[in-house]
Each structure stands twice: as structure tokens, then as C-alpha cells.
Amino acid sequence: MTEILEQQILRVTPSILDRAWPHLLKLLSATPEVWSDYYSIEDIWNRLCYDKMQLWLMNDEKEFQLAMLTEVVAFPQMTVLNVFWLAGHSFRKSLVFADYLEKIAAENGIDRISFQCRRGFVKLLKPYGYREAGVVLTKNIRKSLEN
């Protein structure tokens, strides 16, 4: 017999952030290499409080599956929902979040969704219509000059 689990996706608004914050802090602490060059913990808190960043949580009836941080970036020619941090497990089971983000983006006049993610997500998201649009290469200039 196949078990069907209902998945829930919640956007954590500033009014309920204090309840989700300890869980997010634990997840962020496990992957500072992904976000800490761009944001401090205080930056993330402040951006979430002032609605400059969005926190999404996903679970099924049994367990937590996914946490995601997004930002809406307005460029002159388009508005982009940028997913820059994902944490969790069972990503294959959790890909329904991509459909949900597309629905939210369409309802809010967003033109594109982009993911800053590990290379493994290229294969996972391709069936949902996502394509690799390039490669991001970085070099720390300030740190290079200090050495």
C-alpha cells in the first residue's frame, strides 16, 4: 500500500519569525560557507524582519523537509526571485516547492526565478523547466590584496 503524505509550504512572515528563528539558526550554522560571505546572522535577521528576504519552510505530515531563503531583486528589465540558500533533506521528494514558487512568482509579477545552488540541483530542477544559465566564478579581491 502506498502512503500519501501531504506537503505543506509556509512563508515565514516577520510576525512569526521569532518562532522559526531557532530552527533556521541551527540550519544556517551547518552551512556558513554558502551564505556568510554575503550576510551575517544579524543581516539575515534584519532582512527577514523588514521583508527584504523571505524564509520558506516545507514539511510533510511526518517531518521537516526543507528551508529556503529568497530575495526579490528588481532589475531594470525584469524582477527576479533569487533562491540563494536551501537546506534540508529528501530534495527529490521536496521538489514540489519549485511549482509553488512559480505560482507565487506569477501572482506577484516576478519574471524569473533563479537558484544559486550546488551543481547537483541542475539535474534535479531540469524536469521542472530550469536550465543552467551560466557558471558563477568568484575571486576575493580584498582578501587577495591583504596577503
Side-chain angles (χ1 to χ4, degrees):
M1 183 169 170
T2 303
E3 184 177 4
I4 299 173
L5 297 176
E6 176 104 11
Q7 292 173 314
Q8 299 175 345
I9 300 173
L10 169 70
R11 171 153 182 250
V12 178
T13 60
S15 64
I16 60 171
L17 178 59
D18 58 334
R19 287 186 258 162
W21 183 249
H23 186 64
L24 176 62
L25 210 59
K26 182 179 175 182
L27 293 169
L28 287 169
S29 297
T31 59
E33 67 281 359
V34 175
W35 56 267
S36 65
D37 285 347
Y38 303 97
Y39 299 102
S40 68
I41 289 291
E42 294 79 20
D43 295 330
I44 292 171
W45 171 263
N46 289 330
R47 293 185 69 77
L48 288 167
C49 283
Y50 290 103
D51 216 17
K52 302 287 185 195
M53 184 180 285
Q54 303 79 41
L55 169 61
W56 306 85
L57 300 175
M58 183 174 164
N59 64 285
D60 64 22
E61 295 166 351
K62 291 187 175 182
E63 64 183 347
F64 162 81
Q65 292 180 322
L66 178 80
M68 175 173 40
L69 289 172
T70 62
E71 291 181 299
V72 176
V73 183
F75 293 100
Q77 301 300 314
M78 73 170 54
T79 303
V80 176
L81 180 64
N82 182 37
V83 178
F84 72 90
W85 178 83
L86 285 162
H89 60 87
S90 303
F91 285 113
R92 280 192 207 287
K93 286 187 351 186
S94 304
L95 285 175
V96 67
F97 79 85
D99 292 332
Y100 183 77
L101 278 185
E102 290 170 24
K103 180 179 182 277
I104 295 298
E107 290 172 357
N108 288 281
I110 293 171
D111 302 295
R112 177 178 288 169
I113 297 174
S114 67
F115 282 82
Q116 290 178 243
C117 52
R118 297 186 322 263
R119 184 145 318 268
F121 278 91
V122 173
K123 187 176 179 180
L124 287 175
L125 291 170
K126 192 173 186 175
Y128 289 83
Y130 289 86
R131 64 178 178 79
E132 189 171 356
V135 176
V136 177
L137 302 173
T138 64
K139 180 180 181 180
N140 293 331
I141 301 301
R142 196 169 1 152
K143 289 181 181 177
S144 295
L145 294 176
E146 292 171 1
N147 292 332

